Amino acid sequence: MQISLTNDQKLMRDAIRDFVHREVLPNRLQWDEDQHFPREVFAKMGELGLMGMLVPAEYGGAGLGYYEYKMAIEEIAQVCGSVGLSMAAHNSLCTGHILQFGSHEQKSKWLPKLASGEWIGAWGLTEANTGSDAMRMQCVAKKDGDHWVLNGTKNWITHGISGDVAVVLARTGDLLDSRGITAFVVERGTPGFAGGKKENKLGMRCSETAELVFTDCRVPEANILGQVGEGFIQAMKILDGGRISIASLALGIAKGALQTARDYAKEREQFGQPIAQFQAIGFKLADMATSIEAADLLTLQACELKNAGKPVTKESAMAKYEASEVCVRVATEGVQILGGYGYTKDFPAEKFYRDSKLCTIGEGTSEIQKLVIGRELLREGA
């Protein structure tokens, strides 16, 4: 398992770090306040290869692996979790689904535009009443000649309004049938496809979250990924990789929160000395750093398995579960170390705190991760 970055990876890290500090850092507070989705920044990220990191060069991507992908998300999230989240959702979900299950023709059609950042991708699984219980989805698709007609609404979708193309999971069979769900690619502008309500969120406020609405939306059969009825099984495999990206996002937010707390503790003086010299603060910093390192190793393990093409369901769930819970604890302690200043927008501690919570919810709650881990452990012992 690779623990240290190679020289090439360090050069990439430095380039990403420079970009984020130039393009994102000066604007993050205003974007957060306004809930502004900075579409133009993602086009620039595409020029750096960040919007198609896992896509082979054949389809216009960077052709990199999960170590580089993890590092890139972390670097961005250390400055702005929202931008990191949008990048992760674009790469792992929409782009990743087409990459993993699309035909050569489908990949050639959609991946170059997604990898370049010309197009932004969305991925529609969740509905208002079917979060973790995805097999009860009410969004349906019925065959009509050489088209399928989609009706229903998807909720909590990253880039639900701004996305140029969406991979949508719709029920094509019986309720609760794991082989009764199919994945469709739907381009923006298709009649009957529209963005809906935009959510007003606690955190991750400049990463757009909105509804996808389908009203008699006719989608060509050629836009089906894989075979009819394979969508749910595909989605579970996509989430294995997606959980690595959320673990990386959580690590980035946690590292940003730790850096903010450490820097403040070294500068803030009380009773004649920096508060970092007090054992109470030193112990907090030690716990924060140690828990981050442990979650980092779990995430690196998942990256190693994913790169090798090995099963990663248990390990990605462990990484996502631990990293997201660590992220919340570290961000909370970061606010505590800054005291009253941590509760204001004068320092980024409060933003790390607000952004952190999503990591324990998105792409499978912490409770779902524990169910997945437990199920896999029992399977191993069978």
Side-chain angles (χ1 to χ4, degrees), residues 169-190:
L169 286 300
R171 184 157 55 82
T172 52
D174 294 333
L175 195 68
L176 301 180
D177 180 3
S178 64
R179 292 195 175 271
I181 294 171
T182 301
F184 298 87
V185 179
V186 189
E187 295 184 17
R188 187 71 64 182
T190 303

PDB file of all heavy atoms in Angstrom, residues 169-190:
ATOM      1  N   LEU A 169     -31.513   6.494 -12.221  1.00  0.00           N
ATOM      2  CA  LEU A 169     -31.988   5.151 -11.905  1.00  0.00           C
ATOM      3  C   LEU A 169     -33.505   5.191 -11.817  1.00  0.00           C
ATOM      4  O   LEU A 169     -34.055   5.966 -11.039  1.00  0.00           O
ATOM      5  CB  LEU A 169     -31.390   4.648 -10.584  1.00  0.00           C
ATOM      6  CG  LEU A 169     -29.917   4.208 -10.555  1.00  0.00           C
ATOM      7  CD1 LEU A 169     -29.679   3.056 -11.516  1.00  0.00           C
ATOM      8  CD2 LEU A 169     -28.955   5.351 -10.823  1.00  0.00           C
ATOM      9  N   ALA A 170     -34.176   4.377 -12.624  1.00  0.00           N
ATOM     10  CA  ALA A 170     -35.641   4.363 -12.642  1.00  0.00           C
ATOM     11  C   ALA A 170     -36.137   2.924 -12.597  1.00  0.00           C
ATOM     12  O   ALA A 170     -35.479   2.005 -13.096  1.00  0.00           O
ATOM     13  CB  ALA A 170     -36.167   5.065 -13.880  1.00  0.00           C
ATOM     14  N   ARG A 171     -37.312   2.756 -12.018  1.00  0.00           N
ATOM     15  CA  ARG A 171     -37.883   1.416 -11.882  1.00  0.00           C
ATOM     16  C   ARG A 171     -38.512   0.980 -13.204  1.00  0.00           C
ATOM     17  O   ARG A 171     -39.378   1.659 -13.746  1.00  0.00           O
ATOM     18  CB  ARG A 171     -38.909   1.391 -10.752  1.00  0.00           C
ATOM     19  CG  ARG A 171     -39.476   0.010 -10.469  1.00  0.00           C
ATOM     20  CD  ARG A 171     -40.025  -0.079  -9.056  1.00  0.00           C
ATOM     21  NE  ARG A 171     -41.013   0.956  -8.752  1.00  0.00           N
ATOM     22  CZ  ARG A 171     -42.298   0.865  -9.099  1.00  0.00           C
ATOM     23  NH1 ARG A 171     -42.742  -0.189  -9.744  1.00  0.00           N
ATOM     24  NH2 ARG A 171     -43.132   1.830  -8.783  1.00  0.00           N
ATOM     25  N   THR A 172     -38.058  -0.155 -13.709  1.00  0.00           N
ATOM     26  CA  THR A 172     -38.582  -0.721 -14.951  1.00  0.00           C
ATOM     27  C   THR A 172     -39.233  -2.082 -14.701  1.00  0.00           C
ATOM     28  O   THR A 172     -39.679  -2.738 -15.642  1.00  0.00           O
ATOM     29  CB  THR A 172     -37.456  -0.884 -15.987  1.00  0.00           C
ATOM     30  OG1 THR A 172     -36.363  -1.606 -15.400  1.00  0.00           O
ATOM     31  CG2 THR A 172     -36.948   0.476 -16.458  1.00  0.00           C
ATOM     32  N   GLY A 173     -39.268  -2.494 -13.440  1.00  0.00           N
ATOM     33  CA  GLY A 173     -39.862  -3.781 -13.081  1.00  0.00           C
ATOM     34  C   GLY A 173     -40.695  -3.657 -11.828  1.00  0.00           C
ATOM     35  O   GLY A 173     -41.206  -2.573 -11.504  1.00  0.00           O
ATOM     36  N   ASP A 174     -40.822  -4.744 -11.114  1.00  0.00           N
ATOM     37  CA  ASP A 174     -41.662  -4.762  -9.921  1.00  0.00           C
ATOM     38  C   ASP A 174     -40.991  -4.052  -8.750  1.00  0.00           C
ATOM     39  O   ASP A 174     -39.759  -4.017  -8.641  1.00  0.00           O
ATOM     40  CB  ASP A 174     -41.974  -6.209  -9.520  1.00  0.00           C
ATOM     41  CG  ASP A 174     -42.835  -6.920 -10.560  1.00  0.00           C
ATOM     42  OD1 ASP A 174     -43.579  -6.219 -11.271  1.00  0.00           O
ATOM     43  OD2 ASP A 174     -42.742  -8.156 -10.650  1.00  0.00           O
ATOM     44  N   LEU A 175     -41.818  -3.519  -7.858  1.00  0.00           N
ATOM     45  CA  LEU A 175     -41.324  -2.893  -6.633  1.00  0.00           C
ATOM     46  C   LEU A 175     -40.549  -3.916  -5.811  1.00  0.00           C
ATOM     47  O   LEU A 175     -40.949  -5.082  -5.709  1.00  0.00           O
ATOM     48  CB  LEU A 175     -42.508  -2.360  -5.822  1.00  0.00           C
ATOM     49  CG  LEU A 175     -42.204  -1.363  -4.699  1.00  0.00           C
ATOM     50  CD1 LEU A 175     -41.718  -0.053  -5.285  1.00  0.00           C
ATOM     51  CD2 LEU A 175     -43.457  -1.129  -3.861  1.00  0.00           C
ATOM     52  N   LEU A 176     -39.412  -3.487  -5.254  1.00  0.00           N
ATOM     53  CA  LEU A 176     -38.535  -4.302  -4.402  1.00  0.00           C
ATOM     54  C   LEU A 176     -37.749  -5.365  -5.163  1.00  0.00           C
ATOM     55  O   LEU A 176     -37.042  -6.165  -4.549  1.00  0.00           O
ATOM     56  CB  LEU A 176     -39.319  -4.966  -3.254  1.00  0.00           C
ATOM     57  CG  LEU A 176     -40.040  -4.013  -2.302  1.00  0.00           C
ATOM     58  CD1 LEU A 176     -40.769  -4.798  -1.215  1.00  0.00           C
ATOM     59  CD2 LEU A 176     -39.065  -3.032  -1.677  1.00  0.00           C
ATOM     60  N   ASP A 177     -37.846  -5.369  -6.487  1.00  0.00           N
ATOM     61  CA  ASP A 177     -37.068  -6.313  -7.288  1.00  0.00           C
ATOM     62  C   ASP A 177     -35.709  -5.682  -7.588  1.00  0.00           C
ATOM     63  O   ASP A 177     -35.635  -4.645  -8.259  1.00  0.00           O
ATOM     64  CB  ASP A 177     -37.814  -6.625  -8.586  1.00  0.00           C
ATOM     65  CG  ASP A 177     -37.055  -7.610  -9.471  1.00  0.00           C
ATOM     66  OD1 ASP A 177     -35.987  -8.098  -9.050  1.00  0.00           O
ATOM     67  OD2 ASP A 177     -37.546  -7.886 -10.587  1.00  0.00           O
ATOM     68  N   SER A 178     -34.641  -6.294  -7.094  1.00  0.00           N
ATOM     69  CA  SER A 178     -33.304  -5.736  -7.295  1.00  0.00           C
ATOM     70  C   SER A 178     -32.904  -5.741  -8.773  1.00  0.00           C
ATOM     71  O   SER A 178     -31.963  -5.059  -9.168  1.00  0.00           O
ATOM     72  CB  SER A 178     -32.264  -6.508  -6.478  1.00  0.00           C
ATOM     73  OG  SER A 178     -32.171  -7.844  -6.916  1.00  0.00           O
ATOM     74  N   ARG A 179     -33.626  -6.504  -9.583  1.00  0.00           N
ATOM     75  CA  ARG A 179     -33.384  -6.496 -11.032  1.00  0.00           C
ATOM     76  C   ARG A 179     -34.532  -5.815 -11.778  1.00  0.00           C
ATOM     77  O   ARG A 179     -34.787  -6.097 -12.947  1.00  0.00           O
ATOM     78  CB  ARG A 179     -33.160  -7.918 -11.546  1.00  0.00           C
ATOM     79  CG  ARG A 179     -31.853  -8.520 -11.024  1.00  0.00           C
ATOM     80  CD  ARG A 179     -31.431  -9.755 -11.786  1.00  0.00           C
ATOM     81  NE  ARG A 179     -30.124 -10.229 -11.340  1.00  0.00           N
ATOM     82  CZ  ARG A 179     -28.963  -9.821 -11.847  1.00  0.00           C
ATOM     83  NH1 ARG A 179     -28.947  -8.933 -12.815  1.00  0.00           N
ATOM     84  NH2 ARG A 179     -27.819 -10.305 -11.390  1.00  0.00           N
ATOM     85  N   GLY A 180     -35.178  -4.899 -11.073  1.00  0.00           N
ATOM     86  CA  GLY A 180     -36.276  -4.152 -11.668  1.00  0.00           C
ATOM     87  C   GLY A 180     -35.977  -2.680 -11.810  1.00  0.00           C
ATOM     88  O   GLY A 180     -36.887  -1.854 -11.916  1.00  0.00           O
ATOM     89  N   ILE A 181     -34.690  -2.324 -11.791  1.00  0.00           N
ATOM     90  CA  ILE A 181     -34.263  -0.929 -11.889  1.00  0.00           C
ATOM     91  C   ILE A 181     -33.227  -0.812 -13.005  1.00  0.00           C
ATOM     92  O   ILE A 181     -32.362  -1.686 -13.155  1.00  0.00           O
ATOM     93  CB  ILE A 181     -33.681  -0.437 -10.548  1.00  0.00           C
ATOM     94  CG1 ILE A 181     -34.787  -0.415  -9.477  1.00  0.00           C
ATOM     95  CG2 ILE A 181     -33.040   0.941 -10.686  1.00  0.00           C
ATOM     96  CD1 ILE A 181     -34.293  -0.159  -8.079  1.00  0.00           C
ATOM     97  N   THR A 182     -33.318   0.262 -13.793  1.00  0.00           N
ATOM     98  CA  THR A 182     -32.453   0.434 -14.960  1.00  0.00           C
ATOM     99  C   THR A 182     -31.808   1.820 -14.927  1.00  0.00           C
ATOM    100  O   THR A 182     -32.413   2.789 -14.453  1.00  0.00           O
ATOM    101  CB  THR A 182     -33.271   0.254 -16.255  1.00  0.00           C
ATOM    102  OG1 THR A 182     -33.860  -1.055 -16.252  1.00  0.00           O
ATOM    103  CG2 THR A 182     -32.405   0.410 -17.496  1.00  0.00           C
ATOM    104  N   ALA A 183     -30.577   1.913 -15.425  1.00  0.00           N
ATOM    105  CA  ALA A 183     -29.837   3.177 -15.475  1.00  0.00           C
ATOM    106  C   ALA A 183     -29.965   3.804 -16.861  1.00  0.00           C
ATOM    107  O   ALA A 183     -29.655   3.157 -17.874  1.00  0.00           O
ATOM    108  CB  ALA A 183     -28.377   2.955 -15.126  1.00  0.00           C
ATOM    109  N   PHE A 184     -30.406   5.047 -16.906  1.00  0.00           N
ATOM    110  CA  PHE A 184     -30.561   5.803 -18.153  1.00  0.00           C
ATOM    111  C   PHE A 184     -29.667   7.043 -18.122  1.00  0.00           C
ATOM    112  O   PHE A 184     -29.502   7.665 -17.074  1.00  0.00           O
ATOM    113  CB  PHE A 184     -32.014   6.274 -18.329  1.00  0.00           C
ATOM    114  CG  PHE A 184     -33.029   5.177 -18.423  1.00  0.00           C
ATOM    115  CD1 PHE A 184     -33.596   4.632 -17.269  1.00  0.00           C
ATOM    116  CD2 PHE A 184     -33.426   4.681 -19.652  1.00  0.00           C
ATOM    117  CE1 PHE A 184     -34.542   3.629 -17.341  1.00  0.00           C
ATOM    118  CE2 PHE A 184     -34.377   3.670 -19.740  1.00  0.00           C
ATOM    119  CZ  PHE A 184     -34.936   3.137 -18.583  1.00  0.00           C
ATOM    120  N   VAL A 185     -29.119   7.402 -19.274  1.00  0.00           N
ATOM    121  CA  VAL A 185     -28.418   8.680 -19.412  1.00  0.00           C
ATOM    122  C   VAL A 185     -29.386   9.666 -20.056  1.00  0.00           C
ATOM    123  O   VAL A 185     -29.932   9.390 -21.128  1.00  0.00           O
ATOM    124  CB  VAL A 185     -27.153   8.542 -20.276  1.00  0.00           C
ATOM    125  CG1 VAL A 185     -26.454   9.903 -20.418  1.00  0.00           C
ATOM    126  CG2 VAL A 185     -26.193   7.516 -19.665  1.00  0.00           C
ATOM    127  N   VAL A 186     -29.617  10.788 -19.381  1.00  0.00           N
ATOM    128  CA  VAL A 186     -30.568  11.792 -19.871  1.00  0.00           C
ATOM    129  C   VAL A 186     -29.835  13.125 -20.003  1.00  0.00           C
ATOM    130  O   VAL A 186     -29.290  13.638 -19.031  1.00  0.00           O
ATOM    131  CB  VAL A 186     -31.778  11.942 -18.930  1.00  0.00           C
ATOM    132  CG1 VAL A 186     -32.830  12.828 -19.581  1.00  0.00           C
ATOM    133  CG2 VAL A 186     -32.363  10.579 -18.566  1.00  0.00           C
ATOM    134  N   GLU A 187     -29.856  13.668 -21.195  1.00  0.00           N
ATOM    135  CA  GLU A 187     -29.195  14.954 -21.441  1.00  0.00           C
ATOM    136  C   GLU A 187     -30.131  16.114 -21.122  1.00  0.00           C
ATOM    137  O   GLU A 187     -31.340  16.035 -21.335  1.00  0.00           O
ATOM    138  CB  GLU A 187     -28.744  15.056 -22.900  1.00  0.00           C
ATOM    139  CG  GLU A 187     -27.664  14.061 -23.286  1.00  0.00           C
ATOM    140  CD  GLU A 187     -27.173  14.260 -24.710  1.00  0.00           C
ATOM    141  OE1 GLU A 187     -27.436  15.349 -25.281  1.00  0.00           O
ATOM    142  OE2 GLU A 187     -26.531  13.341 -25.253  1.00  0.00           O
ATOM    143  N   ARG A 188     -29.554  17.188 -20.583  1.00  0.00           N
ATOM    144  CA  ARG A 188     -30.315  18.405 -20.345  1.00  0.00           C
ATOM    145  C   ARG A 188     -30.857  18.914 -21.684  1.00  0.00           C
ATOM    146  O   ARG A 188     -30.170  18.854 -22.702  1.00  0.00           O
ATOM    147  CB  ARG A 188     -29.423  19.470 -19.711  1.00  0.00           C
ATOM    148  CG  ARG A 188     -30.139  20.716 -19.263  1.00  0.00           C
ATOM    149  CD  ARG A 188     -31.020  20.462 -18.043  1.00  0.00           C
ATOM    150  NE  ARG A 188     -30.231  20.065 -16.879  1.00  0.00           N
ATOM    151  CZ  ARG A 188     -30.740  19.747 -15.697  1.00  0.00           C
ATOM    152  NH1 ARG A 188     -32.061  19.754 -15.524  1.00  0.00           N
ATOM    153  NH2 ARG A 188     -29.957  19.383 -14.697  1.00  0.00           N
ATOM    154  N   GLY A 189     -32.082  19.375 -21.684  1.00  0.00           N
ATOM    155  CA  GLY A 189     -32.717  19.805 -22.922  1.00  0.00           C
ATOM    156  C   GLY A 189     -33.664  18.769 -23.476  1.00  0.00           C
ATOM    157  O   GLY A 189     -34.463  19.080 -24.370  1.00  0.00           O
ATOM    158  N   THR A 190     -33.596  17.548 -22.959  1.00  0.00           N
ATOM    159  CA  THR A 190     -34.552  16.522 -23.369  1.00  0.00           C
ATOM    160  C   THR A 190     -35.942  16.938 -22.888  1.00  0.00           C
ATOM    161  O   THR A 190     -36.127  17.241 -21.707  1.00  0.00           O
ATOM    162  CB  THR A 190     -34.182  15.158 -22.753  1.00  0.00           C
ATOM    163  OG1 THR A 190     -32.850  14.804 -23.140  1.00  0.00           O
ATOM    164  CG2 THR A 190     -35.147  14.077 -23.210  1.00  0.00           C
TER     165      THR A 190
END
